[in-house]
Amino acid sequence: MSGLFHDLERSPTNTQVALDELLSAAKWNDDGLIPAIAQQHDSGEVLMMAWMNRAALEETLSTGRVCYWSRSRQAFWRKGETSGQQQQLVEARFDCDGDTLLLQVDQSGPACHTGRRSCFYLRLSTSMAEIDREPLMSADELYGMNR
Amino acid sequence: MSGLFHDLERSPTNTQVALDELLSAAKWNDDGLIPAIAQQHDSGEVLMMAWMNRAALEETLSTGRVCYWSRSRQAFWRKGETSGQQQQLVEARFDCDGDTLLLQVDQSGPACHTGRRSCFYLRLSTSMAEIDREPLMSADELYGMNR
């Protein structure tokens, strides 16, 4: 584990470190990415998980609008750029070992590309999985007929 | 993307599929793992993120006690086995493309190995990061003096 995150584990509350130093110590994976969980700030609903590289995180913190890194497109993914359903950043946090981000966001409309509010609409039981969330709008409405 | 998850995107609410079929279509990474977000079921607090392989998820669903796969120890990690702070499963969900799990849990005491309730105690701003959560107990209390 990175020395800085390890040192912070036992540091007192209110300890501060420079963002640049923390980002240099964070555990970006072999592709330079860290998973980021997006949670609606007021309801607490977990909306989605996507990935960020350092530049995407820095852009998100400076603009206040959430920007991921799309692994499939290998490009910045400014949430809402195509669908119009933006994510505004309320708060960003790293976890104890610097390998996961938690974003408190304000999401307009659906976060999921299927038109559902959250991507987590497949509930598991011991033998089955079931779709238990309705779309707020269709994928066609969200992206037009090109999709 | 897996055909099954893609097909389910436009399937009606209440559509069911066999768990075995869903797990075979899920996007386990090159190490056979999927990230699992643990959220306290009643407060909505996101507690931690860890990893599961298929066997860990199947055990979790059948026992109702959360079992991860520890990447550092390369072994099953039954939450609370060492610390006593167990995680009981309330609900498990897959996301739209089958590469992330969301677990609603009932966590006793701290979820974080630092003794804090949540692992996400490092709040970011545009230039700084700050520890803003107190431990519920010390790591020594949590694990004894061996750590």
Side-chain angles (χ1 to χ4, degrees), chain B residues 15-30:
Chain B
T15 297
Q16 294 190 333
V17 294
L19 182 68
D20 191 60
E21 196 184 345
L22 195 81
L23 297 191
S24 294
K27 282 203 276 184
W28 311 95
N29 72 9
D30 291 345

PDB file of all heavy atoms in Angstrom, chain B residues 15-30:
ATOM      1  N   THR B  15     -39.220  -9.281 -15.343  1.00  0.00           N
ATOM      2  CA  THR B  15     -38.564 -10.364 -16.079  1.00  0.00           C
ATOM      3  C   THR B  15     -37.593 -11.076 -15.144  1.00  0.00           C
ATOM      4  O   THR B  15     -36.861 -10.437 -14.391  1.00  0.00           O
ATOM      5  CB  THR B  15     -37.782  -9.808 -17.283  1.00  0.00           C
ATOM      6  OG1 THR B  15     -38.691  -9.190 -18.186  1.00  0.00           O
ATOM      7  CG2 THR B  15     -36.998 -10.903 -18.000  1.00  0.00           C
ATOM      8  N   GLN B  16     -37.610 -12.407 -15.177  1.00  0.00           N
ATOM      9  CA  GLN B  16     -36.704 -13.196 -14.340  1.00  0.00           C
ATOM     10  C   GLN B  16     -35.783 -14.044 -15.214  1.00  0.00           C
ATOM     11  O   GLN B  16     -36.186 -14.512 -16.277  1.00  0.00           O
ATOM     12  CB  GLN B  16     -37.501 -14.132 -13.424  1.00  0.00           C
ATOM     13  CG  GLN B  16     -38.332 -13.388 -12.384  1.00  0.00           C
ATOM     14  CD  GLN B  16     -38.917 -14.328 -11.352  1.00  0.00           C
ATOM     15  OE1 GLN B  16     -39.143 -15.501 -11.647  1.00  0.00           O
ATOM     16  NE2 GLN B  16     -39.151 -13.826 -10.156  1.00  0.00           N
ATOM     17  N   VAL B  17     -34.562 -14.239 -14.737  1.00  0.00           N
ATOM     18  CA  VAL B  17     -33.653 -15.197 -15.371  1.00  0.00           C
ATOM     19  C   VAL B  17     -33.016 -16.044 -14.274  1.00  0.00           C
ATOM     20  O   VAL B  17     -32.956 -15.622 -13.110  1.00  0.00           O
ATOM     21  CB  VAL B  17     -32.529 -14.507 -16.189  1.00  0.00           C
ATOM     22  CG1 VAL B  17     -33.102 -13.764 -17.386  1.00  0.00           C
ATOM     23  CG2 VAL B  17     -31.709 -13.580 -15.330  1.00  0.00           C
ATOM     24  N   ALA B  18     -32.548 -17.214 -14.650  1.00  0.00           N
ATOM     25  CA  ALA B  18     -31.894 -18.090 -13.671  1.00  0.00           C
ATOM     26  C   ALA B  18     -30.565 -17.456 -13.242  1.00  0.00           C
ATOM     27  O   ALA B  18     -29.822 -16.918 -14.065  1.00  0.00           O
ATOM     28  CB  ALA B  18     -31.655 -19.457 -14.278  1.00  0.00           C
ATOM     29  N   LEU B  19     -30.300 -17.521 -11.938  1.00  0.00           N
ATOM     30  CA  LEU B  19     -29.073 -16.928 -11.401  1.00  0.00           C
ATOM     31  C   LEU B  19     -27.843 -17.505 -12.096  1.00  0.00           C
ATOM     32  O   LEU B  19     -26.908 -16.781 -12.447  1.00  0.00           O
ATOM     33  CB  LEU B  19     -28.987 -17.192  -9.891  1.00  0.00           C
ATOM     34  CG  LEU B  19     -27.769 -16.578  -9.203  1.00  0.00           C
ATOM     35  CD1 LEU B  19     -27.857 -15.062  -9.196  1.00  0.00           C
ATOM     36  CD2 LEU B  19     -27.607 -17.107  -7.782  1.00  0.00           C
ATOM     37  N   ASP B  20     -27.838 -18.802 -12.296  1.00  0.00           N
ATOM     38  CA  ASP B  20     -26.695 -19.485 -12.898  1.00  0.00           C
ATOM     39  C   ASP B  20     -26.382 -18.905 -14.287  1.00  0.00           C
ATOM     40  O   ASP B  20     -25.218 -18.664 -14.628  1.00  0.00           O
ATOM     41  CB  ASP B  20     -27.030 -20.973 -13.001  1.00  0.00           C
ATOM     42  CG  ASP B  20     -25.803 -21.781 -13.360  1.00  0.00           C
ATOM     43  OD1 ASP B  20     -24.832 -21.727 -12.574  1.00  0.00           O
ATOM     44  OD2 ASP B  20     -25.819 -22.442 -14.408  1.00  0.00           O
ATOM     45  N   GLU B  21     -27.439 -18.654 -15.036  1.00  0.00           N
ATOM     46  CA  GLU B  21     -27.295 -18.094 -16.386  1.00  0.00           C
ATOM     47  C   GLU B  21     -26.733 -16.668 -16.308  1.00  0.00           C
ATOM     48  O   GLU B  21     -25.835 -16.286 -17.069  1.00  0.00           O
ATOM     49  CB  GLU B  21     -28.678 -18.086 -17.055  1.00  0.00           C
ATOM     50  CG  GLU B  21     -28.670 -17.911 -18.544  1.00  0.00           C
ATOM     51  CD  GLU B  21     -30.094 -17.811 -19.116  1.00  0.00           C
ATOM     52  OE1 GLU B  21     -31.071 -18.157 -18.406  1.00  0.00           O
ATOM     53  OE2 GLU B  21     -30.214 -17.357 -20.271  1.00  0.00           O
ATOM     54  N   LEU B  22     -27.266 -15.888 -15.346  1.00  0.00           N
ATOM     55  CA  LEU B  22     -26.797 -14.505 -15.190  1.00  0.00           C
ATOM     56  C   LEU B  22     -25.323 -14.487 -14.786  1.00  0.00           C
ATOM     57  O   LEU B  22     -24.531 -13.703 -15.315  1.00  0.00           O
ATOM     58  CB  LEU B  22     -27.637 -13.773 -14.137  1.00  0.00           C
ATOM     59  CG  LEU B  22     -27.481 -12.248 -14.160  1.00  0.00           C
ATOM     60  CD1 LEU B  22     -28.349 -11.631 -15.256  1.00  0.00           C
ATOM     61  CD2 LEU B  22     -27.806 -11.622 -12.815  1.00  0.00           C
ATOM     62  N   LEU B  23     -24.939 -15.350 -13.843  1.00  0.00           N
ATOM     63  CA  LEU B  23     -23.544 -15.348 -13.367  1.00  0.00           C
ATOM     64  C   LEU B  23     -22.587 -15.798 -14.470  1.00  0.00           C
ATOM     65  O   LEU B  23     -21.443 -15.352 -14.533  1.00  0.00           O
ATOM     66  CB  LEU B  23     -23.393 -16.236 -12.125  1.00  0.00           C
ATOM     67  CG  LEU B  23     -24.185 -15.799 -10.880  1.00  0.00           C
ATOM     68  CD1 LEU B  23     -23.745 -16.585  -9.656  1.00  0.00           C
ATOM     69  CD2 LEU B  23     -24.066 -14.306 -10.629  1.00  0.00           C
ATOM     70  N   SER B  24     -23.069 -16.658 -15.355  1.00  0.00           N
ATOM     71  CA  SER B  24     -22.223 -17.094 -16.473  1.00  0.00           C
ATOM     72  C   SER B  24     -22.024 -15.971 -17.492  1.00  0.00           C
ATOM     73  O   SER B  24     -21.020 -15.943 -18.209  1.00  0.00           O
ATOM     74  CB  SER B  24     -22.838 -18.316 -17.166  1.00  0.00           C
ATOM     75  OG  SER B  24     -22.840 -19.408 -16.290  1.00  0.00           O
ATOM     76  N   ALA B  25     -22.980 -15.054 -17.554  1.00  0.00           N
ATOM     77  CA  ALA B  25     -22.895 -13.944 -18.512  1.00  0.00           C
ATOM     78  C   ALA B  25     -22.223 -12.703 -17.910  1.00  0.00           C
ATOM     79  O   ALA B  25     -21.898 -11.763 -18.640  1.00  0.00           O
ATOM     80  CB  ALA B  25     -24.296 -13.576 -19.002  1.00  0.00           C
ATOM     81  N   ALA B  26     -22.026 -12.691 -16.586  1.00  0.00           N
ATOM     82  CA  ALA B  26     -21.472 -11.493 -15.921  1.00  0.00           C
ATOM     83  C   ALA B  26     -20.043 -11.258 -16.381  1.00  0.00           C
ATOM     84  O   ALA B  26     -19.336 -12.183 -16.798  1.00  0.00           O
ATOM     85  CB  ALA B  26     -21.532 -11.667 -14.408  1.00  0.00           C
ATOM     86  N   LYS B  27     -19.619  -9.976 -16.282  1.00  0.00           N
ATOM     87  CA  LYS B  27     -18.292  -9.605 -16.794  1.00  0.00           C
ATOM     88  C   LYS B  27     -17.230  -9.670 -15.699  1.00  0.00           C
ATOM     89  O   LYS B  27     -16.761  -8.638 -15.213  1.00  0.00           O
ATOM     90  CB  LYS B  27     -18.344  -8.207 -17.402  1.00  0.00           C
ATOM     91  CG  LYS B  27     -18.981  -8.230 -18.787  1.00  0.00           C
ATOM     92  CD  LYS B  27     -18.566  -7.030 -19.620  1.00  0.00           C
ATOM     93  CE  LYS B  27     -19.429  -5.834 -19.328  1.00  0.00           C
ATOM     94  NZ  LYS B  27     -19.170  -4.658 -20.149  1.00  0.00           N
ATOM     95  N   TRP B  28     -16.861 -10.878 -15.298  1.00  0.00           N
ATOM     96  CA  TRP B  28     -15.743 -11.074 -14.383  1.00  0.00           C
ATOM     97  C   TRP B  28     -14.475 -10.589 -15.088  1.00  0.00           C
ATOM     98  O   TRP B  28     -14.307 -10.802 -16.285  1.00  0.00           O
ATOM     99  CB  TRP B  28     -15.645 -12.567 -14.011  1.00  0.00           C
ATOM    100  CG  TRP B  28     -16.973 -13.144 -13.587  1.00  0.00           C
ATOM    101  CD1 TRP B  28     -17.865 -13.807 -14.366  1.00  0.00           C
ATOM    102  CD2 TRP B  28     -17.575 -13.055 -12.283  1.00  0.00           C
ATOM    103  NE1 TRP B  28     -18.994 -14.147 -13.635  1.00  0.00           N
ATOM    104  CE2 TRP B  28     -18.840 -13.701 -12.362  1.00  0.00           C
ATOM    105  CE3 TRP B  28     -17.176 -12.489 -11.057  1.00  0.00           C
ATOM    106  CZ2 TRP B  28     -19.701 -13.805 -11.262  1.00  0.00           C
ATOM    107  CZ3 TRP B  28     -18.029 -12.598  -9.976  1.00  0.00           C
ATOM    108  CH2 TRP B  28     -19.271 -13.246 -10.080  1.00  0.00           C
ATOM    109  N   ASN B  29     -13.601  -9.927 -14.366  1.00  0.00           N
ATOM    110  CA  ASN B  29     -12.379  -9.416 -15.007  1.00  0.00           C
ATOM    111  C   ASN B  29     -11.358 -10.543 -15.234  1.00  0.00           C
ATOM    112  O   ASN B  29     -11.680 -11.725 -15.019  1.00  0.00           O
ATOM    113  CB  ASN B  29     -11.794  -8.232 -14.209  1.00  0.00           C
ATOM    114  CG  ASN B  29     -11.153  -8.662 -12.890  1.00  0.00           C
ATOM    115  OD1 ASN B  29     -10.973  -9.865 -12.619  1.00  0.00           O
ATOM    116  ND2 ASN B  29     -10.812  -7.692 -12.056  1.00  0.00           N
ATOM    117  N   ASP B  30     -10.156 -10.197 -15.689  1.00  0.00           N
ATOM    118  CA  ASP B  30      -9.165 -11.215 -16.032  1.00  0.00           C
ATOM    119  C   ASP B  30      -8.790 -12.081 -14.830  1.00  0.00           C
ATOM    120  O   ASP B  30      -8.315 -13.210 -14.993  1.00  0.00           O
ATOM    121  CB  ASP B  30      -7.894 -10.551 -16.590  1.00  0.00           C
ATOM    122  CG  ASP B  30      -8.155  -9.935 -17.962  1.00  0.00           C
ATOM    123  OD1 ASP B  30      -9.204 -10.259 -18.578  1.00  0.00           O
ATOM    124  OD2 ASP B  30      -7.322  -9.138 -18.425  1.00  0.00           O
TER     125      ASP B  30
END
